[in-house]
Amino acid sequence: MIKVDEEDPIGEVEPSFPYRDVQIRRGVDIRDLYDLQEEIGRGKFGTVYRCREKSTGLRLAAKMVSTPKREDRRNVEREVDVMRVLQHPRLIQLYDAFDNGKTMCVVLELIEGGELFERVIDDDFILTEKSCTVFMRQICEGMEFIHSKHILHLDMKPENILCLTKTGNRIKIIDFGLARKFDPTKKLQVLFGTPEFVAPEVVNFDQIGFGTDMWSIGVICYVLLSGLSPFMGDTDVETMANVTIAKYDFDDEAFNEISDDAKDFIEKLLVKDIERRMTAAQALRHKWLQGVAAVTQLSTAKLKRYVIKKRWIKAVNTIIALRRMGAKLEPDDAGAA
Ligand code: ATP
């Protein structure tokens, strides 16, 4: 049986390559330097393939992004720009980048453990509050570093937290596609993100800040502990309306076994006023992450339902996207997606 290791990881794993100062290569075909292998992930913007560098044999991940418009290219350039600054063990590392006009490709460290939520719902896993603190602490460490570089991630959600290996307890934050450099003296408003995880100031198109990521971390923590999504409505509009009033509770029986410290941790993140939200540094000092959390097994039945529903939504969206691109699908593709 695989049990989620409840001990905090000791030391750091050697990265598969030393930190690199990446410049985007223009007019070079990635296939000249890398063997592209099977697809390992897909998001709204990119398709991610396993790949191998021909000269070194190094195994990596290549995120291909279609960039027909100038705006699309600028987005990938921004992602690369941000990632060059973010050299930290809790964050996905950049290896190379290519610009071929209609397509751009970002070569990344390969992370093989899969999405955090997919792993914790595995029947072989025993999820406890203590193991949740191990994951949440690492997420806050990664975010503290991102914020120390004056960058906002702006797309924190469970799909963007990957496990380093299938059995260890180390995680990494991925996907800096929406990240922005942030100058607190300048006004910054955005209108993007995933409704379930975005903060009220995003929905209201108000000034955003470091607290915007911390709200999303609060939502992730709520879902991880309970399998319930605090603001989820039947439609995106309903979800966003729930977010703007910032009202949620711990009334469901899923919270009966959850400690007051864990609830307090969430309450200090899911605060409507961005100024009053806990920072990443404060979160790391919170008693839930500092203390000795409970080791009783948590039920993952609701989290399983949550993850399965997400898989279906993703599969349907993939099919819609492929149809839009003109692909003809066999009936089996829906089940396989
Ligand atoms: P989104 O729709 O969330 O904006 P995106 O198009 O920006 O996504 P990513 O989130 O970067 O794309 O990647 C899509 C998926 O590919 C991820 O959810 C993850 O499962 C997988 N993935 C991304 N990077 C890696 C990596 N370095 N190693 C392994 N798998 C990865």
Side-chain angles (χ1 to χ4, degrees), residues 40-48 60-63 65 79 92-93 108-112 114-115 155 157 159-160 162 174-178 194 314:
I40 50 172
R42 192 181 273 265
K44 270 196 297 294
F45 305 101
T47 307
V48 182
L60 296 149
K63 174 163 148 177
V65 185
E79 183 172 356
I92 181 89
Q93 296 300 294
L108 304 160
E109 171 186 16
L110 176 66
I111 316 238
E112 307 212 66
E115 291 175 17
D155 199 17
K157 57 184 177 182
E159 296 95 303
N160 287 339
L162 299 189
I174 65 161
D175 193 358
F176 291 89
L178 298 182
T194 308
K314 196 166 182 182

Side-chain angles (χ1 to χ4, degrees), residues 152 154 180-182 186-192 201-209 212:
L152 308 180
L154 299 180
R180 292 284 183 281
K181 291 199 172 139
F182 176 59
K186 294 200 178 118
K187 200 166 169 70
L188 181 62
Q189 299 150 298
V190 292
L191 254 188
F192 52 59
E201 61 274 13
V202 173
V203 179
N204 294 332
F205 202 52
D206 287 335
Q207 172 76 0
I208 60 166
T212 306

Side-chain angles (χ1 to χ4, degrees), residues 295-313:
V295 291
T296 36
Q297 184 173 356
L298 299 178
S299 162
T300 51
K302 288 187 167 125
L303 190 56
K304 264 185 200 142
R305 276 205 294 271
Y306 175 88
V307 172
I308 289 166
K309 189 171 161 199
K310 291 279 158 172
R311 272 187 219 152
W312 271 101
I313 293 171

